[in-house]
């Protein structure tokens, strides 16, 4: 578990299980379909039924659980999930809360989501995506983004840098 910015932590689902799941001061964003989204929503089919109101995100107490898989093709990364997760993270941080963002191994989805949440903050707000990625990697050395989430963040970077949701107060 690494603090990548004031009150923003990134890590693995194992760290979530050990340190956060059973009561803590943290709000959490779990960026992993397996096993968390499946367990929270309770589906046994290959994927969550699309008509389920929690198809994209399940909300439980101080946590959002995202139906997000680590893929090579960004077309399988829904805007609805990433934008809502980043908005949730920003709103919790702006309220002065500690936020833990995790995925299975803590290498791809969670650090990239945290980076997108930081896009509107100094120093990331003035950097092009590749430079922001390298700067973030200096802090979070486990970063090893899959091609899909990397390309997604790269394509959407200016949206996250300039979006109104980043100005939550």
């Amino acid at each position: 578990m690494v603090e990548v910015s004031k009150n923003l932590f990134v890590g693995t689902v194992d760290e979530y299980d050990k340190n956060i799941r059973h009561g803590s001061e943290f709000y959490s964003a779990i960026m992993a379909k397996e096993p968390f989204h499946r367990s929270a929503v309770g589906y046994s089919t290959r994927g969550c039924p699309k008509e389920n109101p929690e198809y994209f995100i399940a909300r439980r107490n101080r946590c959002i659980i995202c139906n997000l898989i680590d893929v090579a093709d960004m077309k399988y990364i829904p805007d609805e999930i990433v934008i809502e997760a980043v908005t949730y993270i920003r709103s919790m941080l702006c309220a002065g809360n500690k936020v833990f963002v995790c995925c299975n191994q803590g290498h791809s989805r969670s650090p990239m989501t945290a980076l997108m949440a930081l896009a509107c903050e100094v120093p990331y707000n003035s950097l092009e995506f590749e430079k922001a990625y390298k700067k973030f990697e200096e802090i979070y050395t486990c970063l090893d983004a899959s091609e899909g989430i990397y390309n997604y963040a790269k394509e959407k970077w200016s949206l996250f840098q300039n979006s109104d949701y980043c100005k939550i107060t």
Side-chain angles (χ1 to χ4, degrees), residues 41-85:
V41 178
Y43 51 96
S44 58
T45 54
R46 185 167 183 234
C48 184
K50 290 189 179 184
E51 65 276 0
N52 190 304
E54 294 183 311
Y55 177 76
F56 291 119
I57 295 178
R59 288 165 184 76
R60 304 290 184 271
N61 300 321
R62 297 164 65 116
C63 183
I64 62 168
I65 308 156
C66 301
N67 184 6
L68 189 63
I69 56 175
D70 212 0
V71 292
D73 190 336
M74 67 178 262
K75 74 179 180 185
Y76 298 108
I77 300 173
D79 284 338
E80 294 88 342
I81 292 174
V82 179
I83 291 170
E84 183 140 353

Side-chain angles (χ1 to χ4, degrees), residues 65-114:
I65 308 156
C66 301
N67 184 6
L68 189 63
I69 56 175
D70 212 0
V71 292
D73 190 336
M74 67 178 262
K75 74 179 180 185
Y76 298 108
I77 300 173
D79 284 338
E80 294 88 342
I81 292 174
V82 179
I83 291 170
E84 183 140 353
V86 169
T87 301
Y88 173 82
I89 293 164
R90 295 292 315 150
S91 65
M92 293 300 109
L93 290 172
C94 288
N97 297 304
K98 290 184 178 181
V99 179
F100 181 66
V101 185
C102 67
C103 61
N104 295 86
Q105 297 175 356
H107 294 178
S108 188
R109 291 166 289 177
S110 60
M112 292 304 289
T113 304

Side-chain angles (χ1 to χ4, degrees), residues 77 112 129-130 133 145-155:
I77 300 173
M112 292 304 289
F129 174 75
E130 288 84 2
Y133 183 90
S146 70
E147 185 178 353
I149 195 74
Y150 179 90
N151 288 335
Y152 180 92
K154 183 177 180 179
E155 182 175 297

